[in-house]
Amino acid sequence: MMLDPDTAAEIADRLFEAERDRVQIGLVSGAHPGLTMACAYAIQQRLVDRKIESGRTATGWKIGLTSRAMQNALDIDIPDSGVLFDDMHFESGASVPRGRYIQPRIEAEIAFVMEHGLDGSRPVSRDDVMSATRHVCPALEILDTRIVRQDPVSGASRTVLDTIADNAANAGIVLGENRVPANSRDLRWVGAIVSRNGVVEETGLGAGVLNDPPLAIAWLAERLASVGHRIRPDDVVLSGSFIRPIEARPGDRFEASFGDFGSVSVRFST
């Protein structure tokens, strides 16, 4: 199935309005049963274009579904990706205004801040990624969904195609203050203890991200090249979560302690 441009634009407009109005729309995969991954990315691209037309600035990329467990749960074998924007950024320790999101959740990740661009038109190695990286740092990603998680009538659940169309469900990014040279340690062993209101909810290691977080950046560079894009200098790239998403309720405070790698926190206002 191929979506015609007008249909892709109409779905993207509905997603744009859902984010603006904080009201979810129905399953795109349910309304379009033959939807393909290419179609979902076409919708995402039109959504990204709409955001840029509205005055927002793209600041980087997020990679999702990098863990084996999440891929198995969705019956896929590759990650997905979305675009970060300037209005998604919060400083560590910031408070997210109440009502900013619909159903926010939190993930812990390692963020890469790029010194140089990466052209994925040729194979990208781990060394290529590390050489192009200015520094890495601890990060929290705020997820949200502008599409219902489950259809109230059919009971059908959201699929990876819905998530991709919805800009990979990204909504916010919180970077820790610590800046770490990318080659200073084995990122497979960088881990985090993630607490909500002082109670440990999740723990994980960087190895959960495709066995080594730089490999996720290499995957992204090559995927972007296939559709005419590239990772740019100064881009922030979230390499993928190594914990399960944690629900964020009004009044919740999250802290991710990465040991000597740093820490990062955020609060959701009541």
Side-chain angles (χ1 to χ4, degrees), residues 65-86:
L65 303 178
T66 51
S67 75
R68 189 70 171 167
M70 289 300 294
Q71 290 181 4
N72 288 341
L74 292 172
D75 195 26
I76 60 170
D77 59 2
I78 58 172
D80 69 353
S81 68
V83 180
L84 302 176
F85 287 93
D86 53 341

Side-chain angles (χ1 to χ4, degrees), residues 41-171:
Y41 274 115
I43 296 167
Q44 181 191 117
Q45 184 59 55
R46 179 60 192 120
L47 177 59
V48 166
D49 293 342
R50 178 74 190 272
K51 287 173 178 280
I52 291 172
E53 290 163 5
S54 75
R56 300 177 195 175
T57 300
T59 59
W61 311 88
K62 66 86 47 112
I63 306 168
L65 303 178
T66 51
S67 75
R68 189 70 171 167
M70 289 300 294
Q71 290 181 4
N72 288 341
L74 292 172
D75 195 26
I76 60 170
D77 59 2
I78 58 172
D80 69 353
S81 68
V83 180
L84 302 176
F85 287 93
D86 53 341
D87 63 337
M88 295 180 177
H89 289 254
F90 294 90
E91 294 184 358
S92 183
S95 291
V96 177
R98 183 179 175 88
R100 170 72 182 268
Y101 301 117
I102 304 171
Q103 292 180 331
R105 295 183 293 169
I106 287 289
E107 292 182 335
E109 314 198 11
I110 297 170
F112 288 65
V113 180
M114 309 308 297
E115 181 71 22
H116 307 293
L118 275 175
D119 180 1
S121 59
R122 59 171 180 80
V124 177
S125 70
R126 183 186 188 282
D127 287 344
D128 292 333
V129 172
M130 301 306 262
S131 295
T133 301
R134 180 179 303 150
H135 59 256
V136 290
C137 61
L140 292 172
E141 182 182 5
I142 303 172
L143 303 174
D144 199 12
T145 174
R146 280 67 61 167
I147 297 174
V148 295
R149 296 185 191 177
Q150 186 174 54
D151 184 89
V153 176
S154 69
S157 296
R158 186 181 58 193
T159 73
V160 66
L161 302 178
D162 295 290
T163 302
I164 290 171
D166 190 19
N167 197 21
N170 71 28

Side-chain angles (χ1 to χ4, degrees), residues 130 133-136 179-185 187 261:
M130 301 306 262
T133 301
R134 180 179 303 150
H135 59 256
V136 290
R179 305 292 187 253
V180 179
N183 277 314
S184 66
R185 64 193 66 204
L187 296 178
F261 191 74

